[in-house]
């Protein structure tokens, strides 16, 4: 849905997780391969300039809250990297998006980032 601030915004997050599995010939075993996660997060918008109605305001608040949760995780991870002796708990539970992206953020997988500005 378009807003006064962004006429082409999809105003949504998308997370695609693909995990292929392979069957071993001659046995009933199934082996999981690596996991590929592709995600596109909606950008933060100022609620004052976005909100033209109750529905848009609720959407903006929800999007901004989930992005805030992801940013809290990234800040805690950065702190832990810079201060290994005083680690903080990473608040993955603050946001459903952050919980879904925990494998990406926790360093147990390889990651690549593409941004469009």
């Amino acid at each position: 849905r378009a807003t006064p601030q962004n006429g082409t915004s999809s105003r949504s997050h998308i997370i695609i997780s693909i995990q292929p599995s392979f069957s071993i010939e001659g046995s009933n075993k199934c082996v999981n391969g690596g996991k590929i996660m592709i995600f596109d997060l909606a950008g933060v918008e100022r609620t004052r300039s976005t909100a033209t109605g109750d529905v848009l305001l609720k959407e903006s608040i929800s999007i901004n809250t989930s992005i805030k949760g992801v940013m809290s995780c990234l800040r805690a991870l950065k702190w832990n990297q810079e201060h290994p002796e005083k680690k903080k708990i990473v608040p993955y539970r603050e946001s459903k998006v952050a919980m879904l992206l925990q494998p990406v953020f926790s360093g147990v997988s390889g990651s690549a980032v593409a941004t469009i500005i």
Side-chain angles (χ1 to χ4, degrees), residues 10-11 17 23 30 34 41 47 52 59 66 68 71 76 81-82 84-85 87 89 106 113:
S10 65
R11 300 187 48 76
S17 181
S23 58
C30 189
L41 303 180
T47 53
T52 57
E59 283 180 6
S66 65
K68 182 183 172 206
M71 292 305 299
Q81 194 173 33
E82 293 171 351
E85 70 286 348
K87 290 194 174 197
I89 294 173
S106 64
V113 177

Side-chain angles (χ1 to χ4, degrees), residues 43-47 59-69:
V44 174
E45 294 183 351
R46 292 186 189 97
T47 53
E59 283 180 6
S60 294
I61 290 169
S62 178
I63 290 168
N64 291 351
T65 301
S66 65
I67 294 292
K68 182 183 172 206

Side-chain angles (χ1 to χ4, degrees), residues 5-112:
Q5 190 169 357
N6 187 347
T8 59
S9 175
S10 65
R11 300 187 48 76
S12 61
H13 304 308
I14 183 168
I15 299 174
I16 300 169
S17 181
I18 303 167
Q19 185 169 18
S21 56
F22 308 95
S23 58
I24 299 173
E25 226 176 289
S27 91
N28 291 334
K29 286 191 173 185
C30 189
V31 178
N32 288 331
K35 183 188 268 188
I36 299 170
M37 291 184 75
I38 302 167
F39 55 94
D40 178 19
L41 303 180
V44 174
E45 294 183 351
R46 292 186 189 97
T47 53
R48 203 175 305 144
S49 59
T50 298
T52 57
D54 288 342
V55 173
L56 286 178
L57 179 61
K58 287 178 184 176
E59 283 180 6
S60 294
I61 290 169
S62 178
I63 290 168
N64 291 351
T65 301
S66 65
I67 294 292
K68 182 183 172 206
V70 170
M71 292 305 299
S72 294
C73 291
L74 293 174
R75 273 191 223 99
L77 288 167
K78 183 179 179 202
W79 171 271
N80 291 347
Q81 194 173 33
E82 293 171 351
H83 305 91
E85 70 286 348
K86 296 187 267 181
K87 290 194 174 197
K88 290 184 178 181
I89 294 173
V90 181
Y92 291 115
R93 293 185 183 179
E94 259 185 41
S95 160
K96 288 180 184 176
V97 174
M99 286 176 67
L100 289 169
L101 297 177
Q102 184 176 357
V104 176
F105 294 155
S106 64
V108 295
S109 62
S111 301

